[in-house]
Amino acid sequence: EIVMTQSPATLSVSPGERATLSCRASQSVSSNLAWYQQKPGQAPRLFIYGASTRATGIPARFSGSGSGTEFTLTISSLQSEDFAVYYCQQYDSWPYTFGQGTKLEIK
Amino acid sequence: EVQLLESGGGLVQPGESLRLSCAASGFTFSSYALNWVRQAPGRGLEWVSGISGSGGSTHYADSVKGRFTISRDNSKNTLYLQLNTLRAEDTAVYYCAKGSTSWYDNWFDPWGQGTLVTVSS
């Protein structure tokens, strides 16, 4: 099983600032990496797939990068609606696995 | 618009069974893999099971293998998850999620709103 490790667990950032979230895989997942956003009481929502492709309707301030074992989700200028929990997920091999999540909170 | 609507959750005792359903609309159902993902209270996401578009291939997390069974009825556009021998640690919100392909290398989009399963005596 591929273990996905996200860091940090919690990230405190002020609105308008840049946020960088990291995700590491225990073995290569190529570019088969997705990022999801989840807000309290809501289902997760796809934000990034293929490590760097924004899903439909996702603003350009969100960008994903990386391949192999190291991945990054960057939010260039945080808006109030961006504060949530973000999960990475590998879909390169079964069982598909998620990271434990990074909570992005307002500083 | 793609829609996924889960149902069937509830309160059960340890050792009992439950069947979850996910009714889908807005896409060619048999062309896409489907998955179940769960989230225990206050915890992260855990993939549970996936099934190919045809229904001929399935995978399970080790934590549920032998107890849960995923299936689909392509004539009814409905996904199922049979949960047997339930344990307290199976307590979670169960989401169904549409895969991006018929089987391999599929990300999940969209997700249903979830159904809560509580296992307690």
Side-chain angles (χ1 to χ4, degrees), chain B residues 2-114:
Chain B
V2 174
Q3 292 193 332
L4 301 169
L5 184 61
E6 302 94 334
S7 61
L11 173 63
V12 296
Q13 295 190 345
E16 293 187 338
S17 298
L18 207 57
R19 189 177 83 156
L20 307 183
S21 299
C22 175
S25 62
F27 63 100
T28 305
F29 188 75
S30 61
S31 294
Y32 294 92
L34 291 164
N35 298 268
W36 288 100
V37 178
R38 67 184 180 183
Q39 186 170 38
R43 304 295 295 274
L45 302 172
E46 179 188 17
W47 172 82
V48 172
S49 182
I51 187 168
S52 63
S54 67
S57 297
T58 59
H59 275 290
Y60 297 91
D62 285 346
S63 58
V64 306
K65 200 173 293 183
R67 298 188 300 122
F68 292 7
T69 302
I70 191 171
S71 63
R72 63 192 294 162
D73 186 336
N74 286 351
S75 68
K76 295 183 178 179
N77 286 8
T78 303
L79 171 72
Y80 303 100
L81 187 67
Q82 178 69 39
L83 292 67
N84 295 334
T85 320
L86 281 161
R87 306 167 180 166
E89 54 265 35
D90 296 319
T91 295
V93 173
Y94 285 73
Y95 296 100
C96 68
K98 174 183 168 289
S100 56
T101 70
S102 62
W103 189 220
Y104 295 104
D105 298 343
N106 67 105
W107 58 87
F108 300 167
D109 181 46
W111 299 51
Q113 88 293 342

